[in-house]
Amino acid sequence: MRTFVLLCVLISLCSRAGADVEFTDVTDASGIDFRHFTGATGERYMPETMGIGCAFLDYDADGQLDILLANGTSLIPTGPADTPKLYRNVGNGQFVDVTEAAGLDMPMYGMGITAADYDNDADLDIYFTNVGENRLFRNNGDETFTDATEFAKVGDTGWSTSAVFFDADKDGQLDLFVCNYVEWTPETDLPCTVNLTGEKQYRTYCTPTVYPGQSCRFYRNQGNGTFADMTSQVGLYNPIGKSLGVTLLDYNHDGWIDLAVANDTEPNFLYRNNGDGTFTDEAVVMGVAFSETGKARGSMGIDAADVYNNGGTAIVIGNFSNEKSGFFYAEPGAAYFTDRTDTAEIGKVSYRSLTFGLLFFDCDLDGTLDLFCVNGHIEPEVLRYQQHTPYAQSPSLFRNQRDGAFRDITKAAGLNRVGVGRGCAYGDYDNDGDLDLLVSNNGVTEDHDGVWLLRNDSKPSFNYLRVKVTGTRSNRDGIGASVRLTLPNSVQQQIVRTGGSYCSQSEMTVTFGLGRSATVTQLEILWPSGEIDQYTELEANQLIEAVEGF
């Protein structure tokens, strides 16, 4: 009997172990040569330390993921200028800089990126959030872009961070939600200092507590290429937010896309879509506004997903050092979320880290979503007053153990390099079925580069199914569609989304890990329009291009 029990335990452990997860830094070999320009002048202006986002996207619709990176520029009129960078995927793992050819060589103090087909013309448009006026670039369909900001009326002139395109009212037109941070300009900058024993005061970067916040903005798509600012009318005006991250989810499973927003030193937001064009903040009543001790934390990036394949919702939030990341979970049908950071076993590892971007994805294609985080402090001199908190930090990769907990496999996966992590995104840039990672770091030093391209080389290669959706009655990108996959022993569900992480965007194609399953019993797509499409008995290891109603 003992032998039988031991054998069962070993089988269980082996099934959880899955593939040997490994990521390889291929940045230099890929042809990507990017230097993030912070615009630093020595004055310790706050935007210099906040960093930028990154994105995987297919701007030229050739079936290969390209890379887009926000970038800074000078914060003073007489300083040098720099621009975002667009790298085209030319195959064989190689990228070329096409920024100028694409018409994106416009200096702006960039923060975030979101991309979607807002005008439903079959190509991907790009929205940059900035310190200063945001920019919307319309895709011309010929590998070039036109600045449509003024015509579209989406040029918020504050300090914007993360943003998402989504169809808030299910009219088939993508609306735009933009996070805003604090009221800051070089003219209103406040000098912040630190006093150390035996040392004189020295200038440091301010925290957001010294500046008033700005409200997020909501722009409703008018269907003619323009947007209307409807922030107040739909219940999304709130100037205390100091918002840095936003993700799309449907936490009450009513078929309407909701918004979860990470706020820096202020309570987080959880906006329920009321289904009538308005939103209600339920963060406090749902238990995600504060830490388990009732404290508002320094929250940066955010993501949400069904990580246990049971229809529940997990929300993960990257927080400041000495605060732990937040992991909130609601069982199917639960009345509220509970803080399960320690139960999920990510609290201890994340306590010393300052986490910006993070995301759920299936790193080993075993059929459960894992967690990746990028970390880095905001103060280069932090070791002068926090002995065990370095400025440059390694990322974190937590593998889903299928028992409610996650295991730190960062070093085992080869993620040993340190950086000042800010944005991150996932995407299958080499079309081999598994998900690769893109990381943006703040600035460039001897210890780290401005961007990392991390190729997924996990072995053995488990099976997968990738699903790319195209809406007809719904918005063309199918954003908000719920994709449900059934295997003989499990059910997985994901939502087609933009945004997430911190100021970044992953690919919109949905990837399901199948483990060793060679077929999919059923694939069901619930479109924003209410249309339901079903596919049965699908073979593994392919890309399904699903068109609404066909």
Side-chain angles (χ1 to χ4, degrees):
M1 181 67 179
R2 288 182 179 178
T3 302
F4 176 75
V5 171
L6 179 60
L7 180 62
C8 290
V9 170
L10 288 174
I11 292 173
S12 175
L13 289 174
C14 289
S15 66
R16 286 182 188 173
D20 290 330
V21 178
E22 181 180 355
F23 286 88
T24 304
D25 187 339
V26 295
T27 314
D28 292 340
S30 71
I32 297 173
D33 182 17
F34 175 76
R35 298 182 64 84
H36 173 224
F37 180 53
T38 67
T41 63
E43 296 297 322
R44 297 294 181 100
Y45 287 152
M46 194 175 177
E48 298 168 4
T49 195
M50 296 305 293
I52 57 167
C54 55
F56 275 122
L57 75 173
D58 185 2
Y59 85 99
D60 53 0
D62 66 351
Q64 300 191 106
L65 286 178
D66 311 299
I67 287 174
L68 182 62
L69 303 165
N71 204 358
T73 193
S74 178
L75 289 164
I76 57 176
T78 57
D82 215 326
T83 74
K85 296 295 181 182
L86 175 63
Y87 292 91
R88 184 184 178 193
N89 187 335
V90 294
N92 297 318
Q94 296 298 300
F95 292 81
V96 295
D97 185 346
V98 294
T99 311
E100 184 176 355
L104 295 178
D105 54 334
M106 178 179 292
M108 60 185 94
Y109 200 95
M111 291 292 298
I113 299 164
T114 188
D117 185 6
Y118 79 90
D119 50 5
N120 287 329
D121 67 349
D123 48 39
L124 206 62
D125 311 296
I126 297 170
Y127 189 74
F128 290 101
T129 61
N130 299 310
V131 180
E133 186 178 21
N134 297 336
R135 293 283 177 180
L136 175 65
F137 288 89
R138 186 185 70 245
N139 194 323
N140 300 319
D142 59 0
E143 301 179 15
T144 68
F145 293 84
T146 297
D147 187 347
T149 310
E150 185 175 354
F151 176 76
K153 302 178 183 178
V154 290
D156 191 309
T157 58
W159 180 350
S160 299
T161 52
S162 297
V164 287
F165 281 109
F166 75 117
D167 188 355
D169 50 6
K170 295 189 180 183
D171 65 351
Q173 306 289 335
L174 290 177
D175 309 300
L176 177 62
F177 179 87
V178 181
C179 291
N180 280 330
Y181 194 37
V182 297
E183 295 282 354
W184 179 93
T185 66
E187 293 73 27
T188 60
D189 181 72
L190 299 173
C192 294
T193 58
V194 171
N195 289 312
L196 296 177
T197 303
E199 295 187 33
K200 63 180 181 179
Q201 285 188 344
Y202 74 92
R203 181 78 185 265
T204 187
Y205 288 108
C206 293
T207 68
T209 56
V210 303
Y211 295 105
Q214 294 181 321
S215 177
C216 300
R217 312 308 301 181
F218 174 79
Y219 299 96
R220 177 153 285 154
N221 193 328
Q222 301 295 93
N224 59 0
T226 69
F227 293 77
D229 187 341
M230 302 287 287
T231 308
S232 296
Q233 294 91 322
V234 302
L236 292 173
Y237 181 80
N238 191 333
I240 71 165
K242 303 179 182 179
S243 303
L244 288 176
V246 57
T247 194
L248 304 178
L249 72 167
D250 181 10
Y251 69 91
N252 56 355
H253 305 288
D254 64 353
W256 293 84
I257 292 297
D258 311 304
L259 299 165
V261 180
N263 294 325
D264 193 358
T265 69
E266 299 290 350
N268 300 315
F269 300 146
L270 182 62
Y271 287 115
R272 185 190 74 224
N273 189 327
N274 298 319
D276 60 0
T278 66
F279 293 81
T280 300
D281 183 12
E282 293 190 332
V284 174
V285 68
M286 292 301 295
V288 300
F290 305 98
S291 71
E292 60 184 355
T293 60
K295 177 187 175 184
R297 294 180 282 197
S299 299
M300 315 294 178
I302 188 168
D303 200 10
D306 176 8
V307 298
Y308 300 130
N309 294 338
N310 63 358
T313 302
I315 298 175
V316 64
I317 301 175
N319 292 318
F320 209 80
S321 56
N322 302 321
E323 289 186 333
K324 297 189 294 190
S325 292
F327 187 95
F328 301 96
Y329 183 69
E331 297 278 358
Y336 51 83
F337 288 81
T338 57
D339 189 330
R340 294 195 180 180
T341 306
D342 292 330
T343 304
E345 299 184 10
I346 67 170
K348 183 178 180 181
V349 176
S350 65
Y351 183 74
R352 291 295 183 189
S353 301
L354 199 167
T355 302
F356 273 78
L358 37 64
L359 51 83
F360 288 120
F361 79 128
D362 191 347
C363 72
D364 52 4
L365 300 177
D366 70 345
T368 57
L369 297 178
D370 311 294
L371 174 63
F372 178 69
C373 312
V374 294
N375 312 305
H377 210 275
I378 64 167
E379 174 51 62
E381 304 293 330
V382 62
L383 282 174
R384 296 176 68 175
Y385 57 88
Q386 289 187 17
Q387 184 178 358
H388 301 292
T389 307
Y391 176 55
Q393 302 174 7
S394 67
S396 305
L397 179 60
F398 298 93
R399 192 180 212 168
N400 192 329
Q401 297 298 100
R402 304 189 183 192
D403 59 0
F406 290 75
R407 180 166 60 93
D408 180 11
I409 61 166
T410 307
K411 291 183 179 179
L415 298 170
N416 301 312
R417 196 173 180 185
V418 298
V420 186
R422 295 299 185 254
C424 62
Y426 65 77
D428 181 16
Y429 83 89
D430 51 2
N431 289 328
D432 65 352
D434 56 25
L435 294 173
D436 312 297
L437 293 168
L438 184 66
V439 176
S440 56
N441 291 293
N442 191 55
V444 179
T445 71
E446 293 180 356
D447 298 323
H448 73 273
D449 299 324
V451 63
W452 299 338
L453 178 60
L454 306 174
R455 188 183 64 215
N456 192 331
D457 290 330
S458 301
K459 301 293 181 186
S461 251
F462 282 160
N463 296 325
Y464 65 88
L465 187 76
R466 285 170 54 79
V467 183
K468 184 180 188 305
V469 303
T470 300
T472 53
R473 291 173 55 200
S474 304
N475 66 86
R476 186 174 177 85
D477 286 329
I479 295 165
S482 176
V483 186
R484 183 182 178 93
L485 178 143
T486 302
L487 298 173
N489 59 352
S490 68
V491 176
Q492 301 177 45
Q493 184 170 290
Q494 297 187 44
I495 295 174
V496 179
R497 301 180 300 164
T498 60
S501 183
Y502 167 79
C503 291
S504 299
Q505 181 163 310
S506 298
E507 67 168 331
M508 285 188 281
T509 297
V510 175
T511 297
F512 292 101
L514 307 181
R516 293 181 173 86
S517 295
T519 59
V520 171
T521 306
Q522 179 176 279
L523 180 72
E524 180 180 87
I525 303 173
L526 174 58
W527 299 88
S529 67
E531 178 102 26
I532 299 177
D533 289 331
Q534 292 182 343
Y535 304 78
T536 57
E537 299 303 321
L538 296 171
E539 292 186 4
N541 303 326
Q542 63 170 316
L543 169 69
I544 296 293
E545 297 191 15
V547 179
E548 183 177 12
F550 292 89

